[in-house]
């Protein structure tokens, strides 16, 4: 069910990983929030999610819309070493900070709608 933003963020903070199982998705702020909190993100490679996640750099994308393939990817990610998890997490946090600021988002929207 619906949660206030503060409670949703706390749920993400408490999680080991973040899994976005959308079969269709535009640009996904939830994935960016999870990455900004250092969570390893896994999602189907659909819609705008490849804009949010650089596969095997800032998170992990599953090409097929398959529960079995998603489960396999979750198990792979959970089996990463602590050092590997840390490297993905740090890269994702830095990428969000550098590429998805409010100013950059505003400019992108202006460019899209005004030009």
């Amino acid at each position: 069910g619906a949660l206030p933003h503060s409670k949703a963020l706390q749920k993400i903070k408490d999680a080991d990983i973040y899994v976005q199982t959308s079969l269709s998705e535009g640009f996904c702020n939830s994935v960016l929030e999870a990455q900004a909190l250092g969570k390893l993100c896994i999602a189907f490679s659909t819609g705008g999610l490849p804009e949010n996640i650089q596969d095997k750099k800032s998170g992990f994308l599953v090409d097929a819309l398959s529960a079995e393939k998603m489960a396999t990817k979750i198990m792979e990610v959970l089996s990463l070493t602590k050092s590997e998890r840390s490297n993905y997490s740090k890269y994702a946090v830095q990428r969000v900070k550098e590429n998805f600021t409010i100013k950059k988002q505003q400019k992108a929207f202006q460019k899209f709608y005004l030009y």
Side-chain angles (χ1 to χ4, degrees), residues 10-57:
Q10 188 58 52
K11 293 260 187 205
I12 294 170
K13 288 177 185 177
D14 293 342
D16 292 323
I17 61 173
Y18 179 89
V19 180
Q20 184 74 30
T21 58
S22 301
L23 301 178
S24 176
E25 185 75 55
F27 189 81
C28 187
N29 287 322
S30 298
V31 168
L32 293 180
E33 287 178 337
Q35 289 178 333
L37 292 170
K39 300 302 169 183
L40 300 183
C41 294
I42 306 168
F44 289 122
S45 183
T46 185
L49 289 166
E51 291 180 60
N52 298 122
I53 297 173
Q54 285 182 311
D55 192 33
K56 298 180 187 112
K57 287 187 174 186

Side-chain angles (χ1 to χ4, degrees), residues 93-110:
V93 169
Q94 190 62 35
R95 182 173 180 266
V96 170
K97 284 181 181 179
E98 290 177 2
N99 296 301
F100 299 102
T101 64
I102 294 293
K103 284 188 178 188
K104 284 189 178 188
Q105 294 296 330
Q106 287 172 335
K107 285 181 182 180
F109 277 118
Q110 287 174 341

